[in-house]
């Protein structure tokens, strides 16, 4: 098929080249004829010659043509008849090709227009025959989101319809008092969704233990060791002070740890007085106080000779 196309193309190219050369020849011939009409005799020529020239213009033109354009013979294969036949066949073939292309284009256009009209008619029929039957799924509103409904049809058509505004939170406040172990705060809890948050924090309470109890335990221990607990009987003597942080006492036992610390300090005074004269009387008594500023307990033990 490609070789046939190449042969046809080569034949047409030869014909077109022949037409181009023939047209160039015709134009050259026309130019020669036109130039011959505009040849004028020199000014110094005789009036008789000039008149003779104008009296027989045909002979003059022919003479001029013969002088300027020598006779040329055209081959028979390039004659007017063969040119006419070739030109006519090319024009006929071109017109036939053009007509067939136009017919194909018109056929395609008709098919496209027919398809478009069929699609439009089908869409119109579908819209006319189908009526949406929506299923509605309702979602209730929450504290932060609105209520809505999802409407969907079996054909795939779906839309969302907003119905109710968000409810908003409804908080209930609960006050938590501070303790020695934890801070105080206010809890806000929503009674609808359960969301909660806390604020209004208050510092925890100081770890206050019974100082009177601790002092009584210490003095009882001194009495058991044979010493008086009457401060008025103390003649002269010394004292020891022990500081116990409340947090330390909390970690080691709380009230019992404080009582033990007091007994330990009283026992130190007993050991010191045991080195003195055993025939003399001695006094030992203790005091326990709490410092809220420093959150500490001060254990003071007084000891010395009796009056």
């Amino acid at each position: 098929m490609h070789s046939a196309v190449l042969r046809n193309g080569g034949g047409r190219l030869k014909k077109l080249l022949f037409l181009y050369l023939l047209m160039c020849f015709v134009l050259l011939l026309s130019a020669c004829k036109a130039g011959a009409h505009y040849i004028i005799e020199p000014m110094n020529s005789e009036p008789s010659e000039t008149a003779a020239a104008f009296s027989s213009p045909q002979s003059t033109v022919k003479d001029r043509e013969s002088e300027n354009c020598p006779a040329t013979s055209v081959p028979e294969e390039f004659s007017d008849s063969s040119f006419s036949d070739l030109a006519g066949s090319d024009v006929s073939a071109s017109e036939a090709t053009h007509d067939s292309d136009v017919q194909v284009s018109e056929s395609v256009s008709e098919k496209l227009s027919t398809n478009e009209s069929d699609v439009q008619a089908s869409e119109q029929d579908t819209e006319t025959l189908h009526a949406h039957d929506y299923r509605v799924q309702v979602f209730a509103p929450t504290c932060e989101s609105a209520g809505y409904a999802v409407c969907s049809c079996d054909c795939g058509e779906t839309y969302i319809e907003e119905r109710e505004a968000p409810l908003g939170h409804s908080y209930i406040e609960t006050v938590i008092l501070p303790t020695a172990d934890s801070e105080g705060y206010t809890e806000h809890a929503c009674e609808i969704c359960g969301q909660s948050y806390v604020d209004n924090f208050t510092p925890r309470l100081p770890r206050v233990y019974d100082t009177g109890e601790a002092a009584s335990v210490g003095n009882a221990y001194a009495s058991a060791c044979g010493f008086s607990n009457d401060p008025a009987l103390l003649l002269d003597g010394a004292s020891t002070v022990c500081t116990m942080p409340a947090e330390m006492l909390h970690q080691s036992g709380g009230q019992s740890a404080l009582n033990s610390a007091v007994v330990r300090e009283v026992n130190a005074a007993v050991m010191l007085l045991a080195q003195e004269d055993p025939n003399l009387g001695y006094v030992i008594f203790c005091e326990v106080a709490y410092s809220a500023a420093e959150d500490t307990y001060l254990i003071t033990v007084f000891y010395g000779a009796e009056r």
Side-chain angles (χ1 to χ4, degrees), residues 55-289:
S55 62
S56 59
Q58 294 179 355
S59 62
T60 304
V61 170
K62 290 181 180 179
D63 295 337
R64 299 300 183 186
E65 289 178 355
S66 63
E67 293 176 1
N68 294 327
C69 300
T72 304
S73 60
V74 180
E76 292 181 358
E77 61 184 30
F78 294 151
S79 62
D80 292 341
S81 61
S82 62
F83 166 71
S84 299
D85 295 339
L86 291 173
S89 61
D90 290 339
V91 170
S92 299
S94 177
E95 289 178 353
T97 302
H98 180 266
D99 292 341
S100 63
D101 292 341
V102 170
Q103 291 176 358
V104 171
S105 177
E106 290 177 352
S107 176
V108 171
S109 300
E110 291 177 358
K111 290 182 178 179
L112 290 176
S113 61
T114 302
N115 291 335
E116 290 177 357
S117 61
D118 292 341
V119 170
Q120 292 177 355
S122 177
E123 291 178 352
Q124 292 177 357
D125 294 340
T126 302
E127 292 178 356
T128 302
L129 296 176
H130 179 70
H132 293 296
D133 183 14
Y134 291 105
R135 295 189 304 275
V136 180
Q137 187 177 8
V138 179
F139 294 87
T142 64
C143 294
E144 297 181 354
S145 61
Y148 61 95
V150 178
C151 305
S152 57
C153 180
D154 291 337
C155 69
E157 182 73 18
T158 302
Y159 69 92
I160 298 176
E161 181 181 82
E162 187 172 338
R163 295 191 172 187
E164 300 178 65
L167 301 177
H169 293 291
S170 177
Y171 290 106
I172 298 177
E173 296 182 358
T174 303
V175 177
I176 308 298
L177 297 176
T179 66
D181 297 323
S182 61
E183 295 178 322
Y185 57 90
T186 302
E187 181 182 20
H188 306 265
C190 179
E191 61 181 352
I192 299 175
C193 67
Q195 183 186 37
S196 63
Y197 68 94
V198 295
D199 60 4
N200 300 330
F201 292 94
T202 56
R204 68 183 183 180
L205 298 177
R207 300 185 185 280
V208 178
Y209 301 109
D210 191 347
T211 57
E213 177 185 340
S216 298
V217 172
N219 290 328
Y221 178 77
S223 297
C225 294
F227 296 94
S228 173
N229 301 131
D230 188 358
L233 296 178
L234 183 61
L235 178 62
D236 58 354
S239 63
T240 60
V241 178
C242 176
T243 302
M244 299 293 294
E247 184 65 25
M248 180 184 295
L249 293 175
H250 173 70
Q251 294 177 358
S252 58
Q255 185 68 47
S256 62
L258 179 59
N259 296 343
S260 298
V262 173
V263 170
R264 184 172 57 251
E265 294 300 318
V266 171
N267 186 61
V270 169
M271 297 299 294
L272 289 174
L273 293 178
Q275 300 176 7
E276 302 296 329
D277 187 356
N279 297 321
L280 300 177
Y282 297 93
V283 177
I284 297 177
F285 67 93
C286 63
E287 295 178 354
V288 181

